[in-house]
C-alpha cells in the first residue's frame, strides 16, 4: 500500500495524441483509457457561446480560417475539426462546453475536470460571468478545477464561483504562481514540465500538475516524485506506467 496518493493522470485536450484534440472523440478516448481527469480549454464565439478549443484561431485544427471571437457557433459547427488529424475523423465537430459536460455526466465521471480559460491573449470580457452562471445552472458530479495563465481571470471567477478549485498555469512565471498560492488564491500549480525539472529543489514545497508530460522519462519523473498529477497527450500510456510504478487504479472508475 502507498503512503502517498497516486499521481492523477490528466488527459490534455482529451487523448490529444491519439484523437483530434478537444473533440468529444478525444475526451471519450481519455475516459476509456482510465484517465483520472480531463483538461480542456474554453473560449467565446462571436455570439457569446462557450466553445471548446485551444487556439484563438481555428486554422490549425480545422478546415476553416479566422478567430473564434469572430465566428458564430453555427459557423464553428460547420467546420471539420477531425480531418487535419486524420481522414478517419472527417466531419468531427468543435464541441460546446455543455456538450463536453453532458458527455462526462453520461459516463458517470467523478474525476477531475480542469477547464482552462484561454484569456491570456484575448480577454473575452464576460467569460468568467458566463462560466459561473453555467455551472450554477448545471451541477456536476466531478471535481471542477479552473485554471488560466491570466491571474485576473482566476481572481474574477473565484469571486463569482468560490466553490470550485483553482490553479495557476505558468511556463516561467513561478514567482507570481507561488505568491498566488501563498495568498490562497489558488490551490494548485500547473507549470511547464521543463520549468519543473529546472527548479527541482522547489518541488517538496508544492503540489504540482505539470504539462505537457509525454515522454516515458518525464512521466517516470513525475510518478517517482509522486506529483499531485501530470497532464499528458497520452493518458493510456501514463495510466499503464503509473500502474507499473505506483500501482492503483483511477478512483472514479466503477469496477
Amino acid at each position: 500500500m502507498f503512503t502517498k496518493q497516486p499521481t492523477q493522470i490528466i488527459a490534455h485536450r482529451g487523448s490529444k495524441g491519439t484523437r483530434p484534440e478537444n473533440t468529444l472523440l478525444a475526451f471519450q478516448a481519455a475516459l476509456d483509457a482510465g484517465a483520472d481527469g480531463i483538461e480542456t480549454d474554453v473560449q467565446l464565439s462571436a455570439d457569446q457561446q462557450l466553445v471548446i478549443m485551444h487556439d484563438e484561431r481555428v486554422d490549425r485544427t480545422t478546415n476553416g480560417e479566422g478567430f473564434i471571437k469572430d465566428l458564430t457557433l453555427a459557423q464553428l459547427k460547420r467546420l471539420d475539426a477531425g480531418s487535419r488529424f486524420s481522414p478517419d475523423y472527417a466531419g468531427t465537430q468543435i464541441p460546446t462546453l455543455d456538450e463536453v459536460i453532458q458527455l462526462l455526466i453520461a459516463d458517470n465521471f467523478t474525476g477531475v475536470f480542469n477547464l482552462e480559460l484561454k484569456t491570456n491573449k484575448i480577454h473575452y470580457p464576460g467569460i468568467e460571468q458566463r462560466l459561473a452562471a453555467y455551472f450554477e445552472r448545471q451541477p456536476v458530479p466531478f471535481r471542477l478545477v479552473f485554471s488560466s495563465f491570466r491571474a485576473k481571470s482566476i481572481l474574477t471567477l473565484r469571486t463569482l464561483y468560490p466553490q470550485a478549485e483553482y490553479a495557476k498555469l505558468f511556463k516561467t512565471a513561478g514567482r507570481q504562481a507561488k505568491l498566488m498560492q501563498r495568498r490562497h488564491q489558488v490551490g494548485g500549480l500547473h507549470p511547464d514540465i521543463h520549468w519543473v525539472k529546472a527548479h527541482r529543489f522547489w518541488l517538496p514545497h508544492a503540489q504540482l500538475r505539470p504539462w505537457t508530460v509525454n515522454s516515458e522519462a518525464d512521466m517516470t519523473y513525475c510518478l517517482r516524485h509522486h506529483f499531485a498529477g501530470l497532464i499528458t497527450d497520452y493518458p493510456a500510456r501514463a495510466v499503464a506506467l503509473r500502474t507499473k510504478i505506483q500501482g492503483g487504479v483511477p478512483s472514479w472508475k466503477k469496477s
Side-chain angles (χ1 to χ4, degrees):
M1 293 287 292
F2 275 129
T3 57
K4 299 180 180 179
Q5 288 294 312
T7 299
Q8 297 167 335
I9 307 303
I10 312 295
H12 184 234
R13 308 180 207 169
S15 185
K16 177 179 176 288
T18 65
R19 298 291 188 279
E21 66 179 68
N22 277 339
T23 64
L24 296 182
L25 290 173
F27 301 131
Q28 187 63 61
L31 298 176
D32 293 344
D36 301 288
I38 299 292
E39 184 276 347
T40 188
D41 314 276
V42 65
Q43 304 192 49
L44 280 180
S45 64
D47 50 348
Q48 301 294 287
Q49 299 301 303
L50 294 162
V51 296
I52 298 298
M53 183 173 276
H54 177 268
D55 296 6
E56 288 77 13
R57 295 181 62 93
V58 301
D59 305 46
R60 179 178 63 85
T61 56
T62 80
N63 62 339
E65 295 181 352
F67 287 96
I68 292 171
K69 68 179 180 64
D70 295 331
L71 299 169
T72 65
L73 180 59
Q75 290 172 314
L76 291 167
K77 281 292 187 182
R78 287 196 288 270
L79 300 179
D80 180 343
S83 293
R84 288 285 178 90
F85 184 87
S86 167
D88 294 340
Y89 302 113
T92 302
Q93 291 186 322
I94 297 169
T96 63
L97 172 64
D98 186 59
E99 287 171 333
V100 176
I101 296 300
Q102 298 310 319
L103 173 71
L104 299 181
I105 292 173
D107 273 50
N108 299 309
F109 179 67
T110 56
V112 175
F113 181 63
N114 176 194
L115 188 61
E116 178 186 345
L117 282 69
K118 292 295 295 184
T119 52
N120 53 314
K121 294 181 181 177
I122 297 172
H123 295 338
Y124 294 116
I127 191 171
E128 297 88 358
Q129 288 78 7
R130 288 183 178 276
L131 286 168
Y134 173 80
F135 284 105
E136 289 286 359
R137 294 192 309 269
Q138 174 62 74
V140 294
F142 42 80
R143 285 177 60 190
L144 184 58
V145 179
F146 291 111
S147 64
S148 183
F149 284 97
R150 187 173 185 244
K152 186 175 180 181
S153 283
I154 292 173
L155 299 176
T156 299
L157 186 53
R158 187 171 177 267
T159 300
L160 297 168
Y161 197 80
Q163 57 267 51
E165 298 176 41
Y166 289 86
K168 182 66 172 71
L169 276 160
F170 65 98
K171 188 164 188 165
T172 57
R175 286 186 180 179
Q176 182 192 42
K178 285 194 286 184
L179 181 60
M180 291 182 74
Q181 191 178 52
R182 282 200 302 271
R183 290 174 173 172
H184 305 289
Q185 294 169 332
V186 295
L189 301 179
H190 294 186
D192 184 338
I193 183 61
H194 299 102
W195 183 93
V196 171
K197 291 194 294 185
H199 295 79
R200 60 189 179 279
F201 297 115
W202 187 66
L203 297 180
H205 308 292
Q207 289 293 299
L208 305 175
R209 293 188 186 113
W211 53 273
T212 304
V213 183
N214 286 340
S215 71
E216 184 171 335
D218 284 348
M219 289 180 187
T220 298
Y221 182 86
C222 294
L223 292 165
R224 293 205 183 282
H225 279 89
H226 285 273
F227 289 169
L230 63 84
I231 300 172
T232 180
D233 295 341
Y234 298 96
R237 293 182 194 172
V239 168
L241 191 59
R242 181 183 61 185
T243 300
K244 188 174 173 183
I245 294 174
Q246 295 184 349
V249 295
S251 59
W252 73 271
K253 279 289 205 181
K254 302 292 188 291
S255 56

